[in-house]
Amino acid sequence: LDLHSCALDALCYFIVGRWWKRKGVDRWNVFAPMVLGLILFSAVGAADIAHYSISLFAIKCLWPPAVVVAAAVLCIAVIVIVCLHVRAAWRDGLLLGRCIEIAATALVFVLPVFRDPSFHLHHWYWTWLIGMHANQDAWWSQAACAFLWGGYLNGIAAYGRDDLLGCKRS
């Protein structure tokens, strides 16, 4: 475990996720989704449903109906949460600022490694990267942020904070 890197991850999540404006994590709408994220990522990883590739061929020819339904439910949930965030940011006059924030985060944390053939998008990384942008004041946004923080914690605890360019750097 790379404590220095994890501490910087937590600090970035705290600042960008605007947790410094919140009442704390000892509330049901934060703690319960975080625990759910911790447990769900392990459960999904152990389930047979998670062992299918995401390619056009695999979707059309290999995915059983249960995987199609699970993927559809996941896609609908993500679309609803994203739309709620866009609507809230638009309503509060923050949409342009949040879009710039997301672009800056991508510029700093994604673009330097994305095109490298050794790049591997670990689940701890994408939950950290996306979760910190679920930073609206609404309960559903805080719940999404906490759920994704739980996914980050699961990835770090289960697999360690593996390098994004693992094969190249080992």
Side-chain angles (χ1 to χ4, degrees):
L1 180 66
D2 186 357
L3 184 60
H4 181 261
S5 296
C6 291
L8 289 175
D9 289 348
L11 180 63
C12 190
Y13 208 90
F14 180 77
I15 293 169
V16 176
R18 291 168 178 75
W19 283 105
W20 51 272
K21 292 173 52 176
R22 310 283 181 246
K23 295 178 183 175
V25 297
D26 56 345
R27 295 171 292 130
W28 72 269
N29 68 321
V30 175
F31 190 71
M34 183 174 56
V35 170
L36 182 65
L38 278 164
I39 295 168
L40 195 63
F41 278 90
S42 286
V44 167
D48 289 337
I49 202 168
H51 299 282
Y52 289 91
S53 297
I54 302 174
S55 69
L56 193 53
F57 170 76
I59 293 168
K60 289 177 110 179
C61 303
L62 303 176
W63 283 18
V67 175
V68 173
V69 169
V73 168
L74 179 64
C75 287
I76 290 168
V78 168
I79 290 168
V80 166
I81 293 292
V82 168
C83 288
L84 285 170
H85 278 89
V86 169
R87 191 185 90 206
W90 176 266
R91 180 194 63 223
D92 298 339
L94 301 170
L95 186 59
L96 179 61
R98 297 295 162 90
C99 288
I100 291 170
E101 191 174 86
I102 291 168
T105 304
L107 185 67
V108 171
F109 295 112
V110 177
L111 287 181
V113 294
F114 185 69
R115 300 215 11 110
D116 193 295
S118 297
F119 175 67
H120 176 73
L121 189 62
H122 295 282
H123 84 270
W124 69 262
Y125 189 70
W126 70 260
T127 54
W128 171 78
L129 194 64
I130 295 169
M132 70 176 114
H133 294 290
N135 53 19
Q136 299 290 334
D137 290 330
W139 69 267
W140 45 264
S141 181
Q142 292 179 35
C145 188
F147 176 80
L148 291 168
W149 182 250
Y152 168 83
L153 293 175
N154 171 278
I156 298 300
Y159 306 104
R161 193 179 182 281
D162 293 338
D163 198 297
L164 298 174
L165 303 176
C167 293
K168 188 177 193 176
R169 299 227 172 115
S170 58

